[in-house]
Amino acid sequence: MNKPDLSHNHYQVDTANPHIILADAQDRLMLMRLVIACPAGLYQFQPDGSLHFDVHGCLECGTCRLLCGEAVIARWRYPDAGQGIEFRFG
Ligand code: SF4
């Protein structure tokens, strides 16, 4: 089965009001879940061990929210109207 090509999608990111905000207190095992499970690969450990997260490219699937809840994800909501992902298949 072929993997979907996400490069055709279009994103309108509200950088001033991101739809996902991480909590300050972060359990490394919980963060590892995010790195492994996010289908868009938006959670990545840096060489210094810190976690880099960029909301740009989010598929709005909710996986991170379901896996970690409020202990790690301080805010998860759908983007405002006109923001977020526009799926394009091709
Ligand atoms: S909602 Fe899905 S795509 Fe977006 S950051 Fe969470 S796991 Fe990744």
Side-chain angles (χ1 to χ4, degrees):
M1 183 173 167
N2 294 333
K3 289 185 174 182
D5 183 357
L6 303 178
S7 66
H8 297 286
N9 294 333
H10 181 259
Y11 304 91
Q12 190 69 38
V13 179
D14 186 352
T15 53
N17 191 24
H19 69 284
I20 299 174
I21 297 176
L22 301 184
D24 289 335
Q26 298 180 354
D27 178 301
R28 188 151 180 90
L29 289 179
M30 290 289 234
L31 298 183
M32 184 67 78
R33 290 181 180 182
L34 298 175
V35 172
I36 294 170
C38 175
L42 302 183
Y43 298 90
Q44 297 180 349
F45 283 123
Q46 301 301 294
D48 68 358
S50 65
L51 183 78
H52 174 74
F53 171 65
D54 184 356
V55 74
H56 187 264
C58 178
L59 302 172
E60 300 170 22
C61 65
T63 301
C64 54
R65 182 184 191 188
L66 289 173
L67 284 175
C68 297
E70 295 176 355
V72 175
I73 309 291
R75 177 169 81 182
W76 195 106
R77 61 172 176 75
Y78 286 106
D80 292 338
Q83 304 287 326
I85 189 169
E86 178 184 316
F87 289 101
R88 294 182 178 174
F89 301 97

